[in-house]
Amino acid sequence: MGTTISLTCADGTSIPAYVATPAATPRGGLVLLQEIFGVNTHIRAVADSYAADGYLVVAPAMFHRVQAGVELGYSPDDVAAGVALKARTEALPPPGPLQEVQAAVDAAHSAGKVAVMGYCWGGWLAWRAAEQVPGLAGAVPYYGGGMTTPVEAARTPACPVLAHFGEQDHAIPLATVQAFTLAQPGVEVHLYPAQHGFNCDQRGGYQAEAAALARQRTLVFLSTHVG
């Protein structure tokens, strides 16, 4: 079971974060970035699972500045609420939510090298962090919403990146993933016969085989770049 800690951002703002600690000495740190649904039961379960594999996992509450205690499900109303919270968070003055990411990375460094991993909105943030957040040994965006646009595909990551996408993702057209892959030859990109959100076993788009293969590849990546 994890615990909740308080992180202090560069501007002095304190935010909560869920932390899952391995039983033995950590192999390294992993910052886990939420979807638009908050640090909910799925994100906490993912954190616990990577802690079981030996990583100290820090999952910051990325919506805390605009609304505390966000923990949504996956109904249409939850999606609408999450989209609104995302918009409010992205409207914050620069550097916006990357302050939270940096604070989580700094905390995770107590375990050694650190990678960042995120899903959907968190995947986009992980991609941004690969370029703009110092101290990262790797980044793993899962179906990062918006990261395959031409502007995002032109970014220059400062660390190795492993990206997972679904071929049937209604939110991220396959053609844009293919264009991103061509624009980023240094990024390890994998496609799966799956929909958006295929890693989440609480969503209709869950695809167990794709989730298992992506996780296996992620663990190899973490072992190579983090420890």
Side-chain angles (χ1 to χ4, degrees):
M1 297 295 292
T3 58
T4 299
I5 66 169
S6 180
L7 302 176
T8 302
C9 300
D11 66 354
T13 301
S14 294
I15 65 163
Y18 180 81
V19 176
T21 305
T25 301
R27 301 175 61 171
L30 179 63
V31 171
L32 179 61
L33 301 179
Q34 64 180 62
E35 300 166 295
I36 60 171
F37 308 106
V39 182
N40 61 7
T41 55
H42 170 61
I43 293 299
R44 296 197 298 272
V46 171
D48 292 345
S49 72
Y50 279 93
D53 286 308
Y55 298 96
L56 174 70
V57 186
V58 181
M62 299 298 294
F63 287 155
H64 187 74
R65 286 177 189 267
V66 298
Q67 184 172 317
V70 176
E71 186 173 338
L72 301 173
Y74 301 96
S75 71
D77 287 346
D78 289 324
V79 172
V83 168
L85 287 164
K86 170 181 172 289
R88 289 172 60 194
T89 302
E90 290 181 357
L92 293 169
L98 289 181
Q99 285 189 84
E100 279 80 347
V101 179
Q102 184 70 71
V105 169
D106 293 345
H109 267 302
S110 65
K113 294 181 180 179
V114 177
V116 62
M117 180 170 69
Y119 300 93
C120 188
W121 182 59
W124 172 74
L125 287 170
W127 173 244
R128 284 282 185 94
E131 180 189 57
Q132 300 177 30
V133 173
L136 286 173
V140 186
Y142 273 73
Y143 33 86
M147 67 175 278
T148 60
T149 63
V151 170
E152 293 296 322
R155 295 188 179 280
T156 304
C159 65
V161 178
L162 166 66
H164 303 293
F165 294 100
E167 294 174 340
Q168 302 154 20
D169 193 326
H170 65 281
I172 306 175
L174 181 57
T176 69
V177 178
Q178 294 167 335
F180 176 89
T181 304
L182 290 174
Q184 292 286 343
V187 173
E188 182 182 349
V189 176
H190 291 284
L191 278 165
Y192 304 85
Q195 301 175 22
H196 192 77
F198 68 80
N199 185 73
C200 179
D201 59 3
Q202 299 180 27
R203 301 181 69 170
Y206 176 60
Q207 218 287 344
E209 291 183 2
L213 180 56
R215 191 176 191 281
Q216 179 184 5
R217 287 169 170 162
T218 298
L219 286 170
V220 171
F221 179 86
L222 293 175
S223 178
T224 301
H225 298 291
V226 176

